[in-house]
Amino acid sequence: MHLEFFGATQEVTGSCYLLSVGDKRILVECGLIQGSHVHERHNRDDFPFAPRDIDAVVLTHAHLDHSGRLPLLIKRGFKGPVYTHRATSDLCAIMLEDAGYLNEKDAQWENRKRERKGLKPVEPLYSRNEAREAHKYFEPLEYGETREIVTGVEVTLRDAGHILGSAIAVLELHEGGVKRKVVFSGDLGHKGAPILRDPELVRHADLVVMESTYGNRRHRGWQETWQEMGEVLSNARSEKGNVLIPAFTVGRTQELLYEFKRHYDEWGIGDWEVFLDSPMGIKATNVYAQHARIYDTRATELLQASGDVFGLPNLHMSERSEDSMKINRVQSGAIIIAGSGMCTGGRIKHHLKHNIWRQNAHLMIVGFQARGTLGRALVDGAKRIRLWGESILVRATVHTIGGLSAHADQQGLMDWYQGFENRPRVALVHGEPEAMEVLAYRLQSECGADVLQAEFRQKVIL
Ligand SMILES: [Zn+2]
Ligand SMILES: [Zn+2]
């Protein structure tokens, strides 16, 4: 039995791991490589294995850096089942289709340029239809349910508390009388996060494949975070300007709506009109609403007390672009939640154009902003931004709310590892080298763990 690392090695995207047990091949994750244009071109590369040789796929959660190459895997010959949590399957239905749509748009854009140069057109990485087709291979599971996925391999999903449906995948492998237990952390959630339960602990493993995104970081406390958000909103209320919130459509958007509902009176939310201006955000919120069975205690209590956890009396869902354009006329009193989370695309760009030059407007940053993005430029204090060729003055106040993260911080990762009673061997993945290095040191020195910082194409015998 062995495990090979084919992605998210020394980096945070493109998760992909291949388990071989006897003559069976199980792929864990099939993620998209995300980042610069040059980097993303590698999504078109051949897989380092033959897709048709894979017997089954196990998927921890719906984020595209874990799921986004699945339609391509199927397009290139994989025909087996994809095991994942039921909520992940529902989220993937909308997220992969959206990715397919963006692929089609990218290809059209590229092809217009290629045509002018007399070059042959390129195909989209996969289309909307191919994404829909891929979804037919999904086999939904529940947390705690054990399923034999191929002969000699059983999977059990445990709640990872990262986004709705996210899972830790526990794989039990049997070959010639030998038994091994490999645990994939997936992305581990941030303890105490809204709506979701905390990451479940696993007691035993022979090998743990563990994420290390924030292996060198500490998040600030939830209490401080909510207090800060309340203060920003009350200041903005006295100035009566609009508040723009760029937010990831899956996860962060639902957390915001949920916290607005929980702090409705305290934060004076009733004095605003709240707009969720994102078709994807609306769809994802519906999926979150359909899976109330996996909420944490606090969300379950809110649900029982008020019938739903995302509904606000003053919430407007803007699905059509006409509805979105109407918001442009609102000069004060609007809280606008829109994608994309780093202002690189989506409807938030229109709202920036209509508001960022206003003195009384507020931009509230609630998520990570990667280097090189418009969101990052605003956080770093840009005085002007360029949108559709137009130079726009930045007069709005920019607030960065720390602490809102869907990932465990260093202590969270340490606590999760310490849940294992037998101190298993660890392979670190899904982290930048600096983060991995620091976490590896703590795991070794404090837990005596045998730690590997996985390299691309590295093979580990089980
Ligand atoms: Zn994730
Ligand atoms: Zn991830």
Side-chain angles (χ1 to χ4, degrees):
M1 294 184 254
H2 61 263
L3 172 64
E4 287 162 284
F5 296 88
F6 289 131
T9 50
Q10 319 280 319
E11 58 172 331
V12 290
T13 74
S15 285
C16 188
Y17 319 106
L18 182 64
L19 271 170
S20 300
V21 183
D23 61 347
K24 302 295 183 198
R25 304 278 172 273
I26 299 101
L27 193 68
V28 180
E29 321 279 49
C30 192
L32 207 62
I33 299 161
Q34 296 171 313
S36 70
H37 209 65
V38 182
H39 209 51
E40 289 185 359
R41 228 176 274 158
H42 288 295
N43 284 310
R44 293 181 177 272
D45 291 355
D46 286 339
F47 288 98
F49 44 79
R52 60 175 52 78
D53 292 346
I54 305 293
D55 296 284
V57 171
V58 174
L59 180 62
T60 64
H61 67 287
H63 278 150
L64 292 179
D65 62 312
H66 297 255
S67 69
R69 275 180 103 198
L70 263 172
L72 187 69
L73 188 78
I74 289 162
K75 185 174 170 177
R76 293 188 180 168
F78 169 68
K79 292 285 176 262
V82 177
Y83 292 96
T84 195
H85 190 273
R86 185 173 299 281
T88 298
S89 171
D90 290 351
L91 284 176
C92 276
I94 57 175
M95 292 171 78
L96 294 177
E97 187 173 328
D98 187 59
Y101 169 70
L102 294 176
N103 291 339
E104 287 177 27
K105 280 211 334 202
D106 280 353
Q108 272 168 17
W109 166 258
E110 179 78 30
N111 287 339
R112 273 199 294 273
K113 282 196 293 186
R114 292 179 71 88
E115 205 179 344
R116 288 193 289 267
K117 288 183 191 154
L119 296 170
K120 274 202 299 197
V122 291
E123 242 189 74
L125 189 64
Y126 51 85
S127 65
R128 239 177 311 180
N129 269 333
E130 283 161 338
R132 277 191 211 115
E133 181 61 24
H135 198 252
K136 294 180 185 159
Y137 293 85
F138 278 59
E139 285 281 342
L141 298 173
E142 305 295 334
Y143 293 132
E145 171 190 356
T146 298
R147 182 83 67 92
E148 184 171 55
I149 57 172
V150 296
T151 313
V153 179
E154 286 165 358
V155 70
T156 310
L157 303 179
R158 301 281 172 198
D159 198 335
H162 166 65
I163 58 166
L164 190 83
S166 63
I168 295 155
V170 179
L171 282 112
E172 302 214 52
L173 320 172
H174 307 259
E175 187 194 285
V178 180
K179 204 174 128 183
R180 290 284 181 268
K181 190 164 161 186
V182 183
V183 175
F184 292 86
S185 72
D187 286 357
L188 289 170
H190 181 185
K191 230 175 173 171
I195 311 163
L196 307 174
R197 294 176 195 163
D198 293 339
E200 272 187 77
L201 299 180
V202 184
R203 298 286 168 213
H204 178 270
D206 294 297
L207 174 69
V208 182
V209 179
M210 185 172 164
E211 70 123 320
S212 53
T213 320
Y214 289 130
N216 57 351
R217 278 263 306 266
R218 205 189 167 84
H219 298 324
R220 65 198 294 205
W222 286 109
Q223 213 44 51
E224 285 168 74
T225 301
W226 301 136
Q227 198 183 330
E228 192 181 7
M229 190 173 279
E231 281 163 15
V232 170
L233 290 174
S234 77
N235 287 340
R237 190 163 50 146
S238 59
E239 291 178 11
K240 266 289 163 215
N242 291 338
V243 178
L244 310 186
I245 313 180
F248 296 110
T249 50
V250 178
R252 191 55 34 84
T253 292
Q254 292 72 37
E255 290 175 353
L256 286 170
L257 294 176
Y258 170 78
E259 293 300 333
F260 283 180
K261 186 169 183 111
R262 242 168 40 85
H263 298 91
Y264 192 80
D265 295 325
E266 194 190 323
W267 293 354
I269 300 290
D271 295 344
W272 300 90
E273 294 300 321
V274 181
F275 295 90
L276 172 53
D277 189 21
S278 160
M280 263 291 280
I282 296 166
K283 283 184 197 160
T285 305
N286 288 335
V287 176
Y288 265 68
Q290 284 156 15
H291 292 273
R293 282 182 310 112
I294 55 177
Y295 292 173
D296 68 1
T297 319
R298 194 149 53 178
T300 307
E301 282 166 8
L302 183 63
L303 179 71
Q304 281 159 356
S306 64
D308 76 276
V309 300
F310 305 113
L312 304 167
N314 50 348
L315 175 64
H316 309 270
M317 305 274 212
S318 312
E319 182 126 32
R320 302 173 308 159
S321 51
E322 300 94 277
D323 301 330
S324 175
M325 282 189 293
K326 274 189 207 148
I327 309 172
N328 296 341
R329 285 187 233 126
V330 184
Q331 297 191 10
S332 77
I335 296 176
I336 305 161
I337 305 170
S340 69
M342 301 191 204
C343 308
T344 47
R347 291 180 179 176
I348 194 70
K349 287 172 71 184
H350 295 274
H351 299 302
L352 287 170
K353 178 178 166 184
H354 289 277
N355 290 279
I356 202 81
W357 52 273
R358 293 180 204 272
Q359 195 103 49
N360 64 352
H362 294 259
L363 176 68
M364 188 150 88
I365 300 288
V366 294
F368 176 72
Q369 306 295 314
R371 231 170 268 145
T373 61
L374 179 55
R376 179 62 169 265
L378 287 161
V379 167
D380 289 344
K383 298 275 181 281
R384 284 180 174 275
I385 55 170
R386 276 196 93 75
L387 287 168
W388 299 285
E390 196 180 322
S391 168
I392 301 170
L393 207 58
V394 179
R395 281 214 199 90
T397 315
V398 180
H399 310 268
T400 306
I401 309 283
L404 281 164
S405 172
H407 284 271
D409 65 2
Q410 186 191 65
Q411 195 53 48
L413 294 167
M414 288 297 292
D415 292 345
W416 185 73
Y417 177 79
Q418 283 167 330
F420 289 95
E421 284 160 4
N422 69 323
R423 299 291 184 259
R425 185 151 63 122
V426 191
L428 293 181
V429 295
H430 200 292
E432 300 289 348
E434 313 84 78
M436 237 189 261
E437 196 68 54
V438 178
L439 184 65
Y441 177 77
R442 274 199 77 182
L443 287 167
Q444 279 155 351
S445 58
E446 291 172 38
C447 310
D450 175 3
V451 186
L452 167 86
Q453 298 176 48
E455 306 266 355
F456 186 64
R457 285 182 179 272
Q458 191 166 4
K459 186 172 178 174
V460 171
I461 307 294
L462 299 168

